[in-house]
Amino acid sequence: MQKHTNIIGGQRIPPASGKYYAIRNPARPGERLAEFADSNEADVRSAVGAAAEAAPAWAETPGPHRGVLLFRLAQLLEDSKEALGRIVTLEQGKSLAESIGEVGRAAAEARFMAGEASRPLGHTFPSERPGASCFTVAEPLGVVATICPWNFPVVTPVRKIAPALAWGNAVVFKPASLTPWSALHLLDLIDRAGIPPGAVNLVTGAGSVVGEALTHDARVNGVSFTGSSRVGSHLAEAASRRLARVQLELGGKNPAVVVDCRDLDAAAREIVGAAFLCSGQRCTAISRVIVAEAEADSLVDRILYHVDRIKVGDGLQTGTTMGPLVSDVQLRTVQGYVRQGQESGCEVLRGGRTLTDDPQREGYYFAPTVFDRVPAESPLAVEEIFGPVLPILRVRDFDEAVRVANATRYGLAASLFTSRPAYMHEFARRVSAGMIHINHGTASQAHVPFGGVKDSGQGAYSIGHTAREFYTNVKAIYVKW
Ligand code: NDP
């Protein structure tokens, strides 16, 4: 079995503990894929040291030149879609088509950020004094830690590393324990793009050790985190004690509201796509449908039509449209929510069970599940399940739909399917979410700000120009000539 080390200062460095851990294919958990460094605080200290050493020269590298290297990285990602996509499917489980799509999207985000490296960095101001001027520049934050989840093992790291590099920062990257293999390949592409050693360092291992050490290291000026709201708020508290900046992309309980909608076919198609991609393990997945009673039966029929066409299987098999869940833990979490829903009397229209007798050997497969007539206060309706489970909530009218849409602690994305223009504007104004989608699912784009409100996030939105707020410090400069 191949053993993979950390990558620190451009070198393959074994973990200080000498220990490694194995990752498994969620489609066949008996299959060990490779071993990765089980790192500790000493590894974090050397990775942060390497980043701190590389940071000044990288910050001095002219922005347009940094951009050239990032354009190269984007092209390398584009060219590795198949190979890297295969690795994503092997360690994460999603269908190969989704994995290839993810790498393509990472290329698009890297390309946008490559351009950012050449764009204006500040403003000029008229001075209150004659013969003088004032202007601002954006300077790199310094060393940035990026702590990433397992659901998008390529695009989430690229979404953090590309802007960090574009604006002149050095990075220590900690991937999720379940998906370090994609991370390793990404580091290889970063190296092949010509980005200098030490500008990006990789440390694998447990979040409770590596993530904690990164968060507490005084040389780390900012932590960009994507994952659960629980860990995100814990991390923000620790970082804020030493006044380090944080960017948090957290959970969601994203509603699809359907009221006065003439095209229920299109609505159902969009909802099912956004609910079950990546087996529902997406922060922006549609994870509840809130539909007016008058059109609920017609919508439900159409939703079931599309759910029945989902082909669950090994992500590498041709024709698979939904892979297994990522891990045993995730499978048990989903089972727990579904059992609770069944016991509390919610109506199961489809699924509600694992698809293998022995998930530990045959894969963490869970059937696409649809619940109907779910009460608005049920855990199914308000908690982030992160699995292929779609609860349907029936309401009287648009006003009740908006009230229910806002009745969770999350505020990431929200969709509305309607034919009434007034509702479109009302929804965008009244629903608390970072991203509003009208008549389409919750898919984001590679250049548009991405983030959430309430427990869904904190700090600058990622993707697009808003990421600069996190990755740079503003300096105001006054000149008298
Ligand atoms: P976590 O929030 O635990 O993990 C996300 C990342 O944080 C991983 O790299 C993890 O490392 C790391 N981490 C864990 N503990 C710490 C810590 N104390 N300090 C710093 N970093 C830490 O998510 P899980 O993977 O456990 O998933 C649990 C739930 O979180 C899911 O069911 C889902 O609801 C939500 N989630 C949301 C995501 C999103 O996109 N918003 C993505 C993933 C999960 P390690 O992998 O080593 O534990």
Side-chain angles (χ1 to χ4, degrees):
M1 165 122 354
Q2 223 178 345
K3 274 191 162 80
H4 296 291
T5 63
N6 290 319
I7 298 184
I8 297 177
Q11 304 292 316
R12 293 178 185 274
I13 308 284
S17 65
K19 291 190 198 147
Y20 291 80
Y21 72 96
I23 58 161
R24 292 163 189 277
N25 179 347
R28 281 183 300 282
E31 182 181 324
R32 287 150 60 102
L33 295 168
E35 291 190 347
F36 291 86
D38 191 0
S39 309
N40 63 23
E41 292 82 356
D43 302 299
V44 171
R45 276 196 298 276
S46 39
V48 176
E53 204 176 310
W58 181 244
E60 285 303 315
T61 304
H65 182 63
R66 295 196 297 259
V68 168
L69 303 185
L70 284 169
F71 276 120
R72 261 190 229 154
L73 173 63
Q75 192 55 48
L76 285 164
L77 282 162
E78 198 71 57
D79 296 343
S80 342
K81 275 199 292 203
E82 298 277 339
L84 187 47
R86 213 182 137 74
I87 286 165
V88 172
T89 294
L90 278 170
E91 67 176 358
Q92 202 279 339
K94 65 178 79 168
S95 74
L96 185 58
E98 281 183 73
S99 298
I100 290 173
E102 177 182 342
V103 182
R105 168 63 178 263
E109 293 196 22
R111 212 174 290 123
F112 177 89
M113 286 302 166
E116 280 295 279
S118 293
R119 295 202 181 100
L121 286 176
H123 296 94
T124 58
F125 303 83
S127 174
E128 290 171 358
R129 302 174 67 180
S133 68
C134 325
F135 59 98
T136 57
V137 290
E139 295 189 331
L141 194 54
V143 174
V144 173
T146 63
I147 301 179
C148 298
W150 40 260
N151 53 346
F152 288 96
V154 175
V155 80
T156 307
V158 168
R159 185 169 297 164
K160 298 176 187 305
I161 292 170
L165 293 174
W167 287 304
N169 301 279
V171 177
V172 181
F173 165 29
K174 183 243 168 298
S177 291
L178 294 170
T179 54
W181 204 10
S182 309
L184 194 82
H185 278 259
L186 177 58
L187 262 280
D188 180 48
L189 300 185
I190 287 170
D191 178 51
R192 283 167 52 198
I195 290 159
V200 183
N201 305 275
L202 175 72
V203 185
T204 59
S208 55
V209 178
V210 176
E212 285 285 336
L214 281 169
T215 307
H216 286 91
D217 194 309
R219 296 166 296 172
V220 173
N221 306 100
V223 183
S224 177
F225 170 87
T226 300
S228 62
S229 301
R230 185 185 62 79
V231 173
S233 62
H234 162 75
L235 180 155
E237 197 183 328
S240 67
R241 252 180 261 129
R242 60 180 186 86
L243 302 179
R245 193 174 298 169
V246 292
Q247 180 186 43
L248 305 178
E249 303 283 354
L250 307 175
K253 188 67 185 175
N254 313 297
V257 167
V258 183
V259 182
D260 279 357
C261 175
R262 274 199 297 272
D263 193 352
L264 289 177
D265 284 325
R269 198 172 49 245
E270 291 282 325
I271 288 169
V272 172
F276 295 99
L277 269 177
C278 199
S279 306
Q281 303 167 116
R282 298 189 308 136
C283 54
T284 53
I286 285 180
S287 46
R288 50 196 174 122
V289 173
I290 304 169
V291 55
E293 184 65 65
E295 54 214 295
D297 288 342
S298 309
L299 178 73
V300 168
D301 284 348
R302 288 164 169 87
I303 285 178
L304 296 182
Y305 172 87
H306 290 288
V307 168
D308 290 341
R309 274 149 192 79
I310 294 174
K311 189 153 180 291
V312 183
D314 182 335
L316 288 183
Q317 255 161 29
T318 314
T320 293
T321 55
M322 192 179 104
L325 291 166
V326 72
S327 68
D328 184 33
V329 172
Q330 209 56 31
L331 180 68
R332 277 187 276 122
T333 303
V334 171
Q335 281 173 318
Y337 278 111
V338 167
R339 199 174 312 119
Q340 203 175 36
Q342 285 163 331
E343 286 167 5
S344 68
C346 300
E347 203 177 318
V348 186
L349 299 181
R350 287 296 184 276
R353 60 193 170 83
T354 53
L355 290 172
T356 46
D357 293 331
D358 181 2
Q360 297 310 328
R361 279 200 15 242
E362 300 165 82
Y364 307 124
Y365 293 105
F366 200 88
T369 297
V370 180
F371 278 97
D372 197 2
R373 300 180 194 280
V374 175
E377 65 284 358
S378 160
L380 287 177
V382 292
E383 289 177 23
E384 182 178 51
I385 301 172
F386 233 56
V389 181
L390 186 61
I392 296 174
L393 290 72
R394 296 174 178 234
V395 292
R396 268 188 322 278
D397 54 21
F398 181 73
D399 281 336
E400 189 184 358
V402 168
R403 192 174 50 71
V404 171
N406 282 332
T408 76
R409 64 192 183 103
Y410 295 108
L412 192 59
S415 283
L416 170 70
F417 295 90
T418 190
S419 309
R420 289 185 54 168
Y423 284 170
M424 300 178 191
H425 295 285
E426 281 279 295
F427 188 82
R429 195 173 57 79
R430 287 168 55 190
V431 170
S432 299
M435 295 168 284
I436 298 285
H437 301 263
I438 309 288
N439 290 327
H440 65 86
T442 44
S444 62
Q445 296 191 12
H447 58 296
V448 181
F450 179 102
V453 298
K454 303 201 286 189
D455 284 7
S456 291
Q458 195 187 76
Y461 278 20
S462 62
I463 311 187
H465 68 286
T466 48
R468 197 173 85 188
E469 280 166 41
F470 173 74
Y471 290 99
T472 62
N473 286 320
V474 173
K475 184 178 272 177
I477 299 170
Y478 295 80
V479 180
K480 174 101 174 77
W481 62 82

